[in-house]
């Protein structure tokens, strides 16, 4: 176990493999567990199953972060219309947060986006998740527009965007 505030130096980033999917589900569910019962609408992270994630990965890719050969974080990404890469489900286990793993995962996606000649990166984050919005803002993401989940009358999430120049 690493200590609070310690930067993870032995973190390996790589593309996911099919055999990683059960662990990805576990990491996502653990990473988002703190929001259970606190968000309206609830995060769909708790509904992730191996079948759901395998289906999502038919049109997306994922990068995993490993420490000592154990997956401790992940991020999904996919090309969308308009030469944009969309990031989804940035997840880091609580005991590995604030150690540069989320930043490294995002930088890897940005690198991949540039290789694909993407013009921008996009993501969505719940309106109630101000700390997460600030995290993305520190990495160059800006407010793009509000979004509203089906069945709601007012916005429930923020769409953020980062231009790649």
């Amino acid at each position: 176990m690493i200590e609070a505030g310690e930067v993870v130096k032995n973190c390996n980033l790589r593309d996911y493999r099919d055999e990683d999917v059960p662990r990805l589900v576990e990491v996502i569910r653990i990473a988002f567990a703190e929001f259970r019962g606190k968000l309206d609408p609830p995060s769909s992270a708790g509904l992730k199953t191996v079948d759901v994630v395998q289906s999502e990965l038919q049109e997306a890719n994922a990068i995993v972060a490993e420490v000592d050969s154990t997956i401790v974080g992940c991020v999904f990404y996919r090309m969308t219309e308009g030469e944009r890469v969309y990031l989804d489900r940035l997840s880091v286990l609580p005991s590995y947060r604030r150690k540069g793993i989320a930043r490294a995962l995002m930088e890897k996606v940005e690198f991949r986006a540039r290789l694909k000649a993407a013009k921008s990166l996009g993501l969505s984050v719940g309106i109630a998740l101000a700390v997460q919005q600030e995290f993305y803002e520190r990495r160059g993401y800006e407010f793009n527009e509000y979004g509203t989940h089906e069945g709601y009358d007012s916005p429930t999430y923020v769409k953020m965007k980062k231009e790649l120049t």
Side-chain angles (χ1 to χ4, degrees):
M1 179 68 90
I2 51 181
E3 298 299 318
E6 180 182 352
V7 175
V8 178
K9 292 181 179 29
N10 59 338
C11 182
N12 177 50
L13 301 181
R14 64 168 175 81
D15 287 326
Y16 89 98
R17 296 185 287 258
D18 289 338
E19 62 267 21
D20 295 330
V21 172
R23 178 63 179 170
L24 296 181
V25 171
E26 184 179 8
V27 167
I28 291 167
R29 292 180 119 197
I30 292 169
F32 282 81
E34 68 186 273
F35 305 119
R36 197 173 300 127
K38 298 178 182 174
L39 299 176
D40 186 29
S43 170
S44 64
L47 304 175
K48 297 294 181 195
T49 64
V50 168
D51 289 340
V52 168
V53 170
Q54 285 174 330
S55 176
E56 291 173 346
L57 288 168
Q58 295 301 308
E59 296 187 16
N61 199 349
I63 297 171
V64 301
E66 292 179 313
V67 174
D68 298 326
S69 300
T70 300
I71 296 173
V72 299
C74 62
V75 64
F76 289 46
Y77 67 98
R78 62 182 161 77
M79 286 296 291
T80 64
E81 64 283 338
E83 299 176 315
R84 176 182 285 187
V85 170
Y86 183 80
L87 281 86
D88 194 25
R89 289 292 168 226
L90 177 63
S91 306
V92 176
L93 294 176
S95 60
Y96 287 89
R97 290 183 185 158
R98 305 186 69 74
K99 300 174 188 345
I101 293 172
R103 184 192 68 229
L105 286 165
M106 291 185 69
E107 287 173 355
K108 187 73 161 184
V109 171
E110 185 172 326
F111 175 77
R112 297 272 176 87
R114 290 179 192 281
L115 289 178
K116 293 179 181 277
K119 304 250 187 263
S120 64
L121 294 157
L123 57 85
S124 299
V125 62
I127 286 178
L129 302 176
V131 171
Q132 286 75 8
Q133 289 176 44
E134 291 169 6
F135 170 82
Y136 295 122
E137 287 170 354
R138 287 192 304 272
R139 275 138 197 89
Y141 287 79
E142 298 177 339
F143 171 84
N144 188 35
E145 65 181 321
Y146 288 106
T148 305
H149 284 88
E150 187 176 327
Y152 287 78
D153 295 329
S154 58
T156 54
Y157 61 95
V158 173
K159 294 180 181 180
M160 301 181 81
K161 179 178 174 182
K162 179 177 183 177
E163 297 293 334
L164 297 176
T165 54

